[in-house]
Amino acid sequence: MSSTTSSGPSSGQTLREIGRDAVRARITEIALELFAERGFEQVTVEQIAAEAGMSARTFHRYFPAKEDVVIGDPARGGEFVRGVLAGRPQDEPVWDSLRLAFDALVTQAPPGAGDDERGKRSMRVLVSAASLRARSLEKHLLWARMLTPLVAARLPDDDAALRAEIIVQSALACFDVALTAWANAKDDTTTSELLDRSFATLRPQV
């Protein structure tokens, strides 16, 4: 699982789009190596571009800023979780539905397709710089706007919007804690296991 979760080429992609995704993946790989080795703040766009054999102007055709290399598409993960949540049974406890939706996100890559070490490195980079933490917060606020209406619709009317916001923000906090713990784990504990533990901690209160 990576903080920049992505899927393989879809059947609807053109060759041009597949090629563009391949270049983006290569830039991401190079950038993460540099960030991990030198520190995010010490690496410039020009240095990433030079390592990738392109100009800074070409880099910006793929990523508006170096933060976007780590963050990725801010909406994609939220849209995925929203889709899974919308499909969960309406009579299922909403906290369980959220846990399963986030678990689907971290396990969506087929076996063997993900690189755990790269994902852990990406997460460690993500929490290492203030600008990245700010962008991550913006991303999760976007996800909260996507998820809160679905949660509110499954709660009793009294203060449903307020309680839904609290529940969603708590779920996002559990998600963040689980991923950060996974990134720093010295054993082979999975993201799913850590996600289950994180959600279980708040389960009696939600």
Side-chain angles (χ1 to χ4, degrees), residues 160-203:
L162 174 64
R163 288 187 293 116
E165 182 73 23
I166 293 169
I167 290 171
V168 169
Q169 293 289 356
S170 298
L172 285 165
C174 288
F175 177 67
D176 274 343
V177 168
L179 284 184
T180 302
W182 170 73
N184 293 309
K186 303 302 182 183
D187 55 26
D188 58 356
T189 304
T190 67
T191 49
S192 291
E193 290 170 334
L194 289 166
L195 197 63
D196 286 347
R197 294 180 198 173
S198 296
F199 271 75
T201 300
L202 294 184
R203 182 69 181 85

Side-chain angles (χ1 to χ4, degrees), residues 15-31:
L15 288 175
R16 182 188 180 104
E17 289 168 338
I18 292 172
R20 183 176 178 84
D21 284 350
V23 174
R24 287 175 61 91
R26 178 60 179 156
I27 294 172
T28 299
E29 181 180 355
I30 290 170

Side-chain angles (χ1 to χ4, degrees), residues 114-185:
D115 181 342
D116 275 359
E117 189 49 47
R118 178 182 169 185
K120 289 184 176 185
R121 182 175 55 192
S122 179
M123 275 302 303
R124 290 193 294 267
V125 170
L126 179 62
V127 300
S128 70
S131 61
L132 287 172
R133 293 195 297 271
R135 288 288 298 277
S136 182
L137 176 59
E138 290 176 3
K139 179 177 74 172
H140 285 173
L141 288 173
L142 172 62
W143 291 16
R145 290 195 295 272
M146 296 180 184
L147 301 176
T148 299
L150 292 180
V151 173
R154 293 173 55 173
L155 298 176
D157 290 338
D158 293 344
D159 289 329
L162 174 64
R163 288 187 293 116
E165 182 73 23
I166 293 169
I167 290 171
V168 169
Q169 293 289 356
S170 298
L172 285 165
C174 288
F175 177 67
D176 274 343
V177 168
L179 284 184
T180 302
W182 170 73
N184 293 309

Side-chain angles (χ1 to χ4, degrees), residues 20 24 27 54-65:
R20 183 176 178 84
R24 287 175 61 91
I27 294 172
M54 62 180 63
S55 67
R57 182 172 182 176
T58 301
F59 171 94
H60 287 300
R61 293 177 185 168
Y62 296 92
F63 296 99

